[in-house]
């Protein structure tokens, strides 16, 4: 019964209920209820763009911060063990080497036992997926746990193995985006939208970078440059919104945990702001970019060659096929033994972490000038206030240790990239480039101890600025990106070197892109992943290459007047997924495509009593066998550049070639790759 609260005024005693007392305006109540339902639907509808992207950014920030927190505890435990184990060189060596060897072995064995897709960076495979190729199970959520656990163990080895987390985090972010997309599809019952899925995957790639470096701008630009050949402006705000949510949450967690007083950059610098560099130094920054470009070409060539050697060598390939943890342990043992601090590691600043490497290299004081008249002692323990002491040795000097670091890390990085563990390779090359810039900056500071005179004013040279430019230039040249310049500014929180850093990055890319494919494209080549290469030659002669020169002329067509026994023979003797459907055998006018699976199903449904030669393919089509229209087709006169752009923009796998409506051939990735290869490396004349 409804609760009675009184009598209606002026009535003869009719009761008044609570609902009637507080609900005199049913139309208003219905409007409010409808508005709340609409707001609830918009806010809590899983898959709505804003909610989806915000959830993605927050989740990745939580994962990134939790991983950093765990890794920090494990690294501190390793340092404590190494420090407290005693003065025995054997025990200290074992504590230094066994720790990373065990972690790398577990990372390789655990991740590979769950799924083989969890190893490596993940960016080359993601580039392949975003180009339209389907890689089964690569974005499955079961890979997520294996990648997270394996990456945590990899990063817990510290600077011993010298690997990063950018690539795997891009892969993790894309996996979460794909999973949320599948949840949305199942919850709403909508059909899967490939275009919408690709939009979310590109935004997820930006989130992966933003939650590692707290750099939303460079994260979005990195996803544009690396992950996609054509970028839709409609995806721009998606990437920025998701990356901003992720970067903000990542730095906010550091404030909540009392690690920072406010939201700041990861690698704060104190470069001189009033006159950060003199005008003549622009020449040296451009020269630094050219040097980074040349060294990046050497690195890319050696890395791709060694990776191919590992895959083709009978002994190593067999070891990788049968026992990946053993190969990982052996490689980790070599790297850890070299970085042992009382040994060769003394000249490699091996006691510094990855963050401390950058903090020390970005120091704006000249180490060469500070050690010119004095020789600071090497501290028994790491001095957080004087990290640059790790780079100094009285016999080698600053230049000797920096040069030795570059020579050793050059091949150590190449060896580390062959270890089958979840790992990123951007941060190591970023530090390597910073060491190149630091070496050149120290040389200039020693050559011009008072600075370069410009306009009657003398300002000391800051080697830290050259380290920043070298880091951006070398990493940009290796990855073929310009966004590393912006990343350098977001990481340091200072933009005073904007012009020289950007010029160094452009110079490095000009050299690298003209000589070698990028790190990710080189990995795609070695792994033989299906990927459509760029047309590097943009000469006028390349515009004369047309589809008629390289199309596949031997195509299989099915005419509507083809007898069913001939259709059955074609279907059973070929393995094509689709066949071109033409109007008649004589005209060869293309009218559509028909799937092999549908044809086999329709042929099996035919009664066994039909007389041979009497029924045609048109009868099968009239009986309900589905066909698809051909909405896109090429002409034999279409240029190679136009066909390539069409394939990349629409993520196509193959297209028919017609002349006056007649099917005369087809073009797929195979023909395009061969044509591009012949354009880049013309065959020798017969």
């Amino acid at each position: 019964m409804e609760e009675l609260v009184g009598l209606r005024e002026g009535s003869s005693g009719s009761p008044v209920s609570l609902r009637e007392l507080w609900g005199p305006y049913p139309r208003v109540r219905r409007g409010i209820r409808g508005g709340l339902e609409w707001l609830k639907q918009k806010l809590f509808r899983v898959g709505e763009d804003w909610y989806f992207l915000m959830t993605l950014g927050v989740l990745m920030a939580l994962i990134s911060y939790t991983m950093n927190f765990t890794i920090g505890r494990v690294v501190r435990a390793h340092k404590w063990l190494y420090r407290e184990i005693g003065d025995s060189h054997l025990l200290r060596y074992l504590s230094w080497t066994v720790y990373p060897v065990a972690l790398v072995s577990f990372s390789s064995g655990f991740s590979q036992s769950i799924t083989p897709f969890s190893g490596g960076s993940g960016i080359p495979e993601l580039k392949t997926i975003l180009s339209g190729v389907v890689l089964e199970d690569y974005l499955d959520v079961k890979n997520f746990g294996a990648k997270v656990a394996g990456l945590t163990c990899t990063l817990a080895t510290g600077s011993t193995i010298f690997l990063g987390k950018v690539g795997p985090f891009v892969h993790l972010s894309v996996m979460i985006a794909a999973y949320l997309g599948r949840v949305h599809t199942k919850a709403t019952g909508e059909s899967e939208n490939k275009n919408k899925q690709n939009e979310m995957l590109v935004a997820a790639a930006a989130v992966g970078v933003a939650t590692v470096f707290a750099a939303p701008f460079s994260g979005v630009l990195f996803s544009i440059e690396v992950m996609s050949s054509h970028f839709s402006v409609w995806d721009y705000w998606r990437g920025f919104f998701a990356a901003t949510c992720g970067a903000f949450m990542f730095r906010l967690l550091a404030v909540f945990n009392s690690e920072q007083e406010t939201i700041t950059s990861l690698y704060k610098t104190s470069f001189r702001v009033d006159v950060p560099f003199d005008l003549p130094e622009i020449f040296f920054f451009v020269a630094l970019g050219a040097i980074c470009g040349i060294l990046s070409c050497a690195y890319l060539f050696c890395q791709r060659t060694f990776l191919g050697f590992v895959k083709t060598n009978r002994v190593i390939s067999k070891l990788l096929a049968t026992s990946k943890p053993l190969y990982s342990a052996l490689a980790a043992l070599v790297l850890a033994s070299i970085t042992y601090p009382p040994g060769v590691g003394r000249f490699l600043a091996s006691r510094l972490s990855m963050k401390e490497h950058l903090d020390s290299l970005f120091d704006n004081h000249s180490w060469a000038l500070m050690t010119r008249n004095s020789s600071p002692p090497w501290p028994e323990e790491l001095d957080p206030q004087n990290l640059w002491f790790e780079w100094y040795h009285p016999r080698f000097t600053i230049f000797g240790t920096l040069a030795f670091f570059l020579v050793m890390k050059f091949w150590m990085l190449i060896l580390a990239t062959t270890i089958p563990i979840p790992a990123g390779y951007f941060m190591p090359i970023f530090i390597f480039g910073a060491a190149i810039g630091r070496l050149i900056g120290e040389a200039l500071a020693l050559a011009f101890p008072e600075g370069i005179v410009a306009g009657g004013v003398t300002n000391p040279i800051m080697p830290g600025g050259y380290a920043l430019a070298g880091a951006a230039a070398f990493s940009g040249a290796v990855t073929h990106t310009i966004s590393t310049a912006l990343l350098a500014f977001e990481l340091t929180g200072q933009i005073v070197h904007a012009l020289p850093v950007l010029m160094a990055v452009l110079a490095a890319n000009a050299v690298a892109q003209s000589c070698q494919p990028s790190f990710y494209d080189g990995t795609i080549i070695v792994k033989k992943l299906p990927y459509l290469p760029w047309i590097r030659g943009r000469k006028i002669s390349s515009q004369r290459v047309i589809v008629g020169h390289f199309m596949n002329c031997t195509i299989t067509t099915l005419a509507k007047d083809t007898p069913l026994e001939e259709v059955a023979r074609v279907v059973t003797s070929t393995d094509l997924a689709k066949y071109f459907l033409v109007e008649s055998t004589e005209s060869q006018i293309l009218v559509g495509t028909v799937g092999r699976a549908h044809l086999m199903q329709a042929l099996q449904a035919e009664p066994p009593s039909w007389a041979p030669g009497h029924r045609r393919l048109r009868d099968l089509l009239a009986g309900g066998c589905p066909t698809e229209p051909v909405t896109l087709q090429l002409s034999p006169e279409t240029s190679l550049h136009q066909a390539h752009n069409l394939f990349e923009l629409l993520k196509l796998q193959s297209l028919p070639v017609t002349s006056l409506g007649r099917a005369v051939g087809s073009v797929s990735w195979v023909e395009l790759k061969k044509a591009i290869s012949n354009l880049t490396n013309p065959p020798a004349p017969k």
Side-chain angles (χ1 to χ4, degrees):
M1 295 180 59
E2 295 183 346
E3 182 181 357
L4 302 180
V5 296
L7 299 177
R8 194 181 302 276
E9 182 180 359
S11 65
S12 59
S14 58
V16 181
S17 66
L18 186 64
R19 183 186 300 273
E20 292 175 335
L21 182 65
W22 294 101
Y25 304 106
R27 183 177 299 176
V28 175
R29 287 190 291 112
R30 284 195 301 269
I32 294 174
R33 187 183 298 113
L36 291 176
E37 288 292 333
W38 178 86
L39 183 63
K40 177 182 177 182
Q41 180 184 9
K42 290 298 181 184
L43 289 179
F44 299 100
R45 182 186 174 191
V46 178
E48 192 70 22
D49 288 351
W50 294 87
Y51 178 58
F52 178 97
L53 296 170
M54 183 180 66
T55 303
L56 177 64
V58 171
L59 279 177
M60 289 307 301
L62 290 171
I63 295 169
S64 180
Y65 185 81
T66 304
M67 185 179 293
N68 286 353
F69 183 83
T70 305
I71 292 166
R73 295 296 184 271
V74 176
V75 170
R76 277 199 290 271
H78 183 207
K79 290 182 178 180
W80 175 86
L81 176 64
Y82 175 77
R83 185 175 61 250
E84 300 294 333
I85 203 169
D87 296 331
S88 172
H89 276 290
L90 178 60
L91 292 178
R92 301 195 83 179
Y93 170 77
L94 291 176
S95 67
W96 182 267
T97 56
V98 172
Y99 206 83
V101 167
L103 287 172
V104 168
S105 300
F106 177 79
S107 173
S108 177
F110 178 77
S111 58
Q112 295 292 329
S113 64
I114 295 179
T115 170
F117 304 121
S118 59
S121 167
I123 291 182
E125 289 81 2
L126 292 177
K127 288 190 67 172
T128 303
I129 292 174
L130 290 176
S131 66
V133 178
V134 178
L135 297 181
E136 295 293 339
D137 300 329
Y138 193 76
L139 298 181
D140 195 271
V141 73
K142 70 179 180 181
N143 302 338
F144 186 85
K147 194 102 179 180
V148 168
L151 180 61
T152 303
C153 292
T154 300
L155 298 178
T157 61
S159 60
T160 306
I161 309 300
F162 213 66
L163 294 173
K165 62 184 285 191
V166 176
F169 245 74
V170 172
H171 186 194
L172 291 174
S173 181
V174 172
M175 274 193 283
I176 291 183
Y179 176 72
L180 292 177
R182 289 193 294 268
V183 170
H184 168 251
T185 301
K186 291 181 180 179
T188 59
E190 298 177 358
S191 58
E192 187 176 4
N193 190 332
K194 288 292 184 182
N195 293 330
K196 184 68 171 291
Q197 182 184 13
N198 286 336
E199 293 172 0
M200 294 304 175
L201 295 187
V202 173
V207 173
V209 178
T211 51
V212 171
F213 295 126
F217 292 100
S218 52
V220 173
L221 294 181
F222 184 85
S223 69
I224 294 175
E225 290 183 293
V226 174
M227 305 304 298
S228 53
S229 57
H230 290 79
F231 190 81
S232 174
V233 180
W234 174 250
D235 300 339
Y236 209 53
W237 72 267
R238 302 173 189 270
F240 266 113
F241 178 72
T244 302
C245 289
F248 176 76
M249 189 65 184
F250 178 66
R251 297 307 291 156
L252 194 64
L253 290 171
V255 177
F256 287 162
N257 200 34
S258 302
E259 297 175 11
Q260 300 285 342
E261 294 182 0
T262 185
I263 296 178
T264 58
S265 55
L266 287 180
Y267 303 95
K268 290 182 289 187
T269 56
S270 56
F271 296 144
R272 191 173 58 247
V273 177
D274 50 352
V275 185
F277 59 91
D278 287 313
L279 186 60
E281 290 186 65
I282 292 289
F283 169 78
F284 296 115
F285 278 103
V286 175
L288 170 62
I291 293 172
C292 289
I294 295 171
L295 291 178
S296 70
C297 291
Y299 173 78
L300 290 170
F301 175 78
C302 295
Q303 190 270 341
R304 191 172 66 255
T305 303
F306 187 71
L307 191 60
F309 169 77
V310 168
K311 288 186 172 296
T312 56
N313 183 267
R314 186 171 59 182
V315 177
I316 300 178
S317 60
K318 184 178 180 180
L319 182 62
L320 283 171
T322 57
S323 182
K324 287 184 174 65
L326 179 58
Y327 175 84
S328 303
L330 292 175
L333 180 61
V334 172
L335 296 174
S337 300
I338 293 174
T339 57
Y340 179 53
V344 181
R346 169 68 179 85
F347 310 101
L348 295 172
S350 60
R351 295 195 299 183
L352 298 178
S353 65
M354 303 284 277
K355 184 179 186 304
E356 290 169 341
H357 271 94
L358 282 181
D359 285 336
S360 61
L361 291 171
F362 290 161
D363 183 10
N364 58 341
H365 298 96
S366 173
W367 304 337
L369 295 181
M370 287 192 295
T371 58
R372 185 168 52 175
N373 299 321
S374 62
S375 179
W378 190 58
E380 291 294 330
E381 301 296 335
L382 184 66
D383 185 1
Q385 302 301 322
N386 295 286
L387 295 177
W388 71 273
F389 285 174
E390 299 296 313
W391 295 96
Y392 178 75
H393 191 278
R395 294 184 180 179
F396 272 62
T397 71
I398 290 297
F399 300 101
T401 53
L402 285 171
F404 187 72
F405 176 86
L406 292 174
V407 172
M408 295 298 290
K409 287 298 181 181
F410 185 89
W411 67 266
M412 291 170 70
L413 281 178
I414 294 174
L415 175 62
T417 58
T418 64
I419 304 177
I421 53 176
Y425 311 117
F426 180 83
M427 195 62 171
I429 61 176
F430 195 80
I431 297 175
F432 189 88
I436 298 174
R438 186 79 202 191
L439 179 62
I440 295 178
E442 291 289 349
L444 291 173
L446 189 63
F448 304 97
E450 301 298 329
I452 300 177
V453 179
V457 180
T458 303
N459 295 292
I461 290 176
M462 289 191 299
Y466 288 87
L468 183 67
F474 187 77
S475 58
V478 170
T479 57
H480 288 190
T481 56
I482 308 297
S483 58
T484 53
L486 184 57
L487 175 63
F489 307 142
E490 289 189 279
L491 280 179
T492 59
Q494 287 191 284
I495 200 170
V496 292
H497 287 87
L499 183 60
V501 169
L502 183 58
M503 294 179 70
V505 172
L506 290 173
N509 269 274
V511 176
Q513 292 193 27
S514 62
C515 299
Q516 292 290 328
S518 71
F519 178 86
Y520 305 118
D521 291 341
T523 305
I524 289 173
I525 294 171
V526 174
K527 289 186 175 181
K528 298 180 180 179
L529 296 172
Y531 187 70
L532 195 60
W534 288 1
I535 303 178
R536 298 189 177 275
R538 291 288 177 177
K539 300 178 181 178
I540 297 178
S541 59
S542 65
Q543 301 289 342
R544 300 171 185 162
V545 180
I546 59 176
V547 169
H549 295 161
F550 59 86
M551 68 179 183
N552 178 23
C553 299
T554 58
I555 58 174
T556 303
T557 61
L558 291 176
K560 290 184 178 181
D561 56 1
T562 304
L564 286 188
E565 55 268 19
E566 179 65 19
V567 174
R569 186 191 65 79
V570 171
V571 169
T572 54
S573 61
T574 59
D575 57 354
L576 299 175
K578 292 182 178 180
Y579 299 96
F580 294 133
L581 181 65
V582 297
E583 186 63 36
S584 64
T585 307
E586 182 180 357
S587 68
Q588 290 291 308
I589 300 297
L590 184 65
V591 295
T593 61
V594 57
R596 183 173 183 268
H598 295 146
L599 280 176
M600 293 186 67
Q601 186 178 0
L603 288 171
Q604 292 172 358
E606 280 291 306
S609 57
W610 56 273
H614 287 77
R615 289 179 62 81
R616 307 284 176 172
L617 178 58
R618 65 168 62 93
D619 301 322
L620 210 62
L621 300 177
C625 182
T627 61
E628 295 180 4
V630 178
T631 56
L632 291 173
Q633 48 193 294
L634 300 174
S635 166
E637 302 301 321
T638 304
S639 69
L640 170 63
H641 293 277
Q642 291 174 327
H644 183 270
N645 290 335
L646 194 61
F647 270 69
E648 278 198 329
L649 184 61
L650 301 179
K651 299 176 175 57
L652 304 172
Q653 299 297 313
S654 64
L655 278 178
V657 181
T658 60
S659 177
L660 301 178
R662 299 177 68 252
V664 295
S666 67
V667 172
S668 66
W669 278 25
V670 177
E671 288 78 30
L672 275 178
K673 283 184 177 180
K674 187 176 180 181
I676 295 172
S677 177
N678 291 338
L679 190 64
T680 308
N681 301 305
K686 297 181 179 179

